[in-house]
Amino acid sequence: MKSANVAPGREMAMQDNRAYAYYPGCSLHATAKEYDLSARAICAALGVELREVPGWNCCGASSAHGRDHLLSTTLAARNLALVEEMGLEEVAVPCAACFNRLAVAGHELREDASLAEEVRGVLERPLQGKAKARALLDVVARDVGTERIRDAVVRPLEGLKVACYYGCLLVRPPRALETDERVEDPQSLDELVRAMGGEPVEWPHKTECCGAGLSLTRTDVVRKLSADILKMARECGADCIVCACPLCMTNLDMRQGEALKAAGERFRIPVLYFTELMALAMGIPDAERWLKMHFVDASAVARRETAAANGMEAEQ
């Protein structure tokens, strides 16, 4: 497997390749295309094979889980059954909300035999309960590992101060998600930033909720929660925020203008997916083009890295 997006001369050794089923979810085929493109590009460059689940359906993260437990579990279970039919054991999920739904449903199906039987009856297809959902962030940070990522960096993020924002859905509930992240102080994203030469800032809002589930029904609440996160990132000296969720990106990037109403001050803080920041550091050719899809101009981060790589002062 060879990707046209791999920087010349930087393709990784492929002897450690590992294949994962890949569940993009609705957002990555629509409003978060840059997340999908950058995720596929960095994984190809790192020798991680992603096989998109054929015929996948919505996981129900936006509303189904709050209205009908059987429906929401069955929506997620069908995707896990499709992964089993692919002959794979793990599915890599970029979106934190989708990951949470697939992981929680998988855990409930393994723990509750009567629920699993009921879901099989609705699905009318085999479901063994063996497929496991993994956050793409976890796959990259733990399976690929920081040493391999460090070796792939051609444009180190020297001096770049990054607020690593995990949100709430990557880490809660920990028992169901079967994650070894510290719930109140997760570290995988921080470790990635360090491996790329950047500086993760210490800040208390790593796992604060941005109100993603209320984006359409309580925008007043979302504006307040998002403004609090943006304000804290700025006060802690961050040059940018990095996240791993399309819903978080929408609230923190698209709603910065609205946050002005809640906080009484203007924000212009670039927000990037962690895969986009990795693509910049790894010198993947399309990385700067993806940043143009954002509401808040994130190209300053790219210009800064280009100037640093060339030993120049970044333009303002």
Side-chain angles (χ1 to χ4, degrees), residues 162-230:
V162 181
C164 297
Y165 179 66
Y166 299 77
C168 48
L169 295 173
L170 277 176
V171 294
R172 300 187 182 95
R175 182 169 178 270
L177 300 185
E178 301 176 12
T179 175
D180 60 359
E181 288 272 24
R182 287 182 282 182
V183 176
E184 298 298 336
D185 186 22
Q187 290 295 315
S188 58
L189 196 47
D190 295 63
E191 291 167 6
L192 282 184
V193 170
R194 290 191 193 94
M196 293 185 285
E199 179 183 341
V201 301
E202 292 292 333
W203 70 314
H205 280 40
K206 278 183 172 183
T207 60
E208 291 293 308
C209 179
C210 67
L214 302 173
S215 287
L216 299 178
T217 55
R218 290 298 306 272
T219 52
D220 56 327
V221 172
V222 173
R223 280 197 295 268
K224 171 66 167 60
L225 293 173
S226 299
D228 289 346
I229 293 167
L230 293 165

Side-chain angles (χ1 to χ4, degrees), residues 53-251:
V53 179
W56 59 266
N57 56 270
C58 173
C59 69
S62 57
S63 57
H65 69 289
R67 299 183 60 83
D68 188 311
H69 183 237
L70 178 60
L71 170 62
S72 65
T73 305
T74 304
L75 286 170
R78 181 179 180 275
N79 293 309
L80 295 173
L82 292 173
V83 174
E84 292 178 356
E85 291 171 15
M86 296 171 71
L88 296 172
E89 297 179 350
E90 295 184 326
V91 53
V93 188
C95 170
C98 297
F99 159 67
N100 190 284
R101 282 307 313 143
L102 295 182
V104 169
H107 175 79
E108 290 181 340
L109 292 169
R110 288 188 289 273
E111 295 285 312
D112 188 337
S114 62
L115 174 64
E117 194 57 37
E118 189 175 13
V119 168
R120 287 191 191 95
V122 177
L123 285 177
E124 298 183 338
R125 66 194 316 148
L127 175 66
Q128 301 178 58
K130 293 183 177 179
K132 181 179 180 182
R134 299 271 312 278
L136 180 66
L137 172 61
D138 188 57
V139 169
V140 171
R142 305 301 183 210
D143 295 3
V144 176
T146 52
E147 182 177 348
R148 198 168 170 184
I149 291 167
R150 191 176 294 111
D151 289 344
V153 170
V154 296
R155 298 168 62 182
L157 309 178
E158 292 178 4
L160 184 69
K161 296 181 179 179
V162 181
C164 297
Y165 179 66
Y166 299 77
C168 48
L169 295 173
L170 277 176
V171 294
R172 300 187 182 95
R175 182 169 178 270
L177 300 185
E178 301 176 12
T179 175
D180 60 359
E181 288 272 24
R182 287 182 282 182
V183 176
E184 298 298 336
D185 186 22
Q187 290 295 315
S188 58
L189 196 47
D190 295 63
E191 291 167 6
L192 282 184
V193 170
R194 290 191 193 94
M196 293 185 285
E199 179 183 341
V201 301
E202 292 292 333
W203 70 314
H205 280 40
K206 278 183 172 183
T207 60
E208 291 293 308
C209 179
C210 67
L214 302 173
S215 287
L216 299 178
T217 55
R218 290 298 306 272
T219 52
D220 56 327
V221 172
V222 173
R223 280 197 295 268
K224 171 66 167 60
L225 293 173
S226 299
D228 289 346
I229 293 167
L230 293 165
K231 185 175 182 179
M232 183 57 69
R234 186 170 64 188
E235 289 180 359
C236 290
D239 297 314
C240 64
I241 296 173
V242 174
C243 68
C245 176
L247 297 177
C248 299
M249 169 64 87
T250 296
N251 286 336

